[in-house]
Amino acid sequence: MRKKMMACVLMLLFLTGVSSCGRNRQEGAHSYTVYYVNKEGTCVVSEEYVTDTPMENKEVLLQEFTGLLKDTAERPEYLSPLSEAFQNYTLHEGQMNLDFSEAYLDQEPIVEVLCRAAVVRTLTQIEGIDTITFSVQNEALTDAVGVPVGAMTEDSFIDNAGTEINAYAEATFMLYFADEAGDALVKVSRDVVYNSNISMERQVVEELIKGPEDAEGYPTVNPAVTILSVTVKDRVCYVNLSEEFLTSAYNVTSQVTLYSIVNSLVELPGVNKVMISVEGDTDVTYRDSVSLTTVFERNLDIVE
């Protein structure tokens, strides 16, 4: 009986100690999320990070976060989002810049984007860091075609459906843009790193709406257009666009706009034909000249 009583007392003391420790941890601890990249370089992963440093203690928290992002020796299953190329940072009025050596450019494109996403998501949790830019030897970081990446927030890594971009793919798309006269198409090769949660067909349409880069030709699709859906069935790609598609923002023919979309999509391996609808309706005449009830096929006669 005495032994049972002693065991109960010890158990009670143990539970009291555990409860007390839990209360102390909650009272003085702050929980954050630190983002890493998996060892395979295919997705962003996250871990809870608990520290006594409050969010308003910006400098200390920044040192803690950058230390975790640089050194993953205790987490061998992750890549370090802040590589050895990281040199220093500056912070002014909510704008943070991270500067890297030229070795930063040696990363695989997909890994680079994932690491950038992990860094931005982690550091923008700190109060007073609103946007983050990257530079290499004090020159603004540019993408694969030389366009500056610019200031980033957590929302920079969220796709159009509102979901987080955790995995990326890399592909080369053959896109068709207008020639200078606007009455013919030119074929352009573009390397794209994109969210692998989106279909390649949708990404092609997004690239066309985005328009040409550098000397790639001239735009064909109104940039105000919203993609409502892109699906493929029996090798026919169904593209549903917002009503802005009916208004041309550029001096190009209706054939150039339509076959810019059709020819670009038919370049993909799973597409032979394309149907285009506006707000879900195909009973539409595009610019009073072409019926969208048509099932479009590739047209190379319009290509220079």
Side-chain angles (χ1 to χ4, degrees):
M1 183 67 176
R2 187 175 178 183
K3 288 183 178 179
K4 288 183 179 180
M5 285 287 292
M6 182 61 71
C8 288
V9 170
L10 290 173
M11 180 60 71
L12 181 59
L13 289 172
F14 172 77
L15 292 175
T16 302
V18 169
S19 176
S20 174
C21 289
R23 283 197 302 271
N24 290 339
R25 181 181 180 276
Q26 290 176 353
E27 290 170 3
H30 302 271
S31 178
Y32 305 97
T33 303
V34 177
Y35 295 89
Y36 299 96
V37 177
N38 68 339
K39 201 71 175 179
E40 294 73 26
T42 57
C43 68
V44 173
V45 294
S46 63
E47 277 196 4
E48 183 187 23
Y49 173 62
V50 178
T51 176
D52 293 334
T53 307
M55 188 171 290
E56 57 269 20
N57 198 337
K58 182 166 52 183
E59 290 299 331
V60 175
L61 199 56
L62 189 50
Q63 292 296 329
E64 291 182 30
F65 281 180
T66 53
L68 290 166
L69 293 171
K70 283 192 295 184
D71 185 6
T72 57
E74 296 182 1
R75 300 171 181 81
E77 68 276 24
Y78 300 147
L79 299 176
S80 302
L82 272 180
S83 64
E84 294 179 358
F86 174 62
Q87 299 185 135
N88 54 62
Y89 67 83
T90 57
L91 181 59
H92 180 67
E93 295 183 350
Q95 169 71 65
M96 183 179 193
N97 181 73
L98 304 175
D99 191 53
F100 297 83
S101 69
E102 290 185 356
Y104 181 87
L105 303 176
D106 295 335
Q107 298 179 93
E108 291 293 325
I110 294 176
V111 173
E112 187 275 324
V113 175
L114 291 172
C115 286
R116 186 151 37 91
V119 170
V120 172
R121 286 178 179 174
T122 301
L123 298 185
T124 51
Q125 293 174 91
I126 301 175
E127 189 174 300
I129 298 180
D130 302 320
T131 61
I132 295 178
T133 56
F134 278 41
S135 62
V136 177
Q137 296 293 100
N138 296 312
E139 295 289 335
L141 178 67
T142 59
D143 63 17
V145 293
V147 177
V149 171
M152 295 165 286
T153 67
E154 182 181 11
D155 290 342
S156 301
F157 302 94
I158 296 177
D159 68 19
N160 294 336
T163 56
E164 290 187 353
I165 299 177
N166 286 321
Y168 290 80
E170 185 178 12
T172 299
F173 295 137
M174 304 308 298
L175 306 175
Y176 290 81
F177 292 110
D179 67 354
E180 187 174 5
D183 57 6
L185 293 171
V186 292
K187 187 176 181 180
V188 173
S189 172
R190 180 180 294 181
D191 295 327
V192 178
V193 176
Y194 67 100
N195 178 5
S196 61
N197 295 325
I198 326 176
S199 69
M200 294 178 71
E201 293 79 15
R202 184 187 181 104
Q203 188 63 40
V204 163
V205 181
E206 288 190 357
E207 295 297 322
L208 293 173
I209 294 172
K210 187 188 304 179
E213 296 169 341
D214 297 331
E216 289 187 324
Y218 295 84
T220 58
V221 182
N222 189 335
V225 168
T226 300
I227 301 173
L228 302 180
S229 65
V230 179
T231 58
V232 179
K233 184 178 180 180
D234 298 330
R235 304 185 75 83
V236 178
C237 184
Y238 297 86
V239 181
N240 185 17
L241 303 173
S242 65
E243 62 183 359
E244 288 82 2
F245 178 67
L246 297 176
T247 304
S248 178
Y250 307 108
N251 185 26
V252 297
T253 67
S254 57
Q255 297 280 330
V256 162
T257 296
L258 291 170
Y259 283 104
S260 166
I261 297 172
V262 173
N263 285 3
S264 298
L265 286 169
V266 174
E267 288 284 349
L268 297 176
V271 179
N272 287 343
K273 301 177 182 180
V274 177
M275 284 202 71
I276 300 172
S277 59
V278 177
E279 303 286 345
D281 188 6
T282 57
D283 190 16
V284 175
T285 301
Y286 179 68
R287 295 173 62 185
D288 299 323
S289 61
V290 183
S291 172
L292 295 188
T293 57
T294 305
V295 181
F296 294 96
E297 298 185 39
R298 187 200 309 263
N299 180 0
L300 296 181
D301 293 337
I302 198 174
V303 180
E304 281 190 343

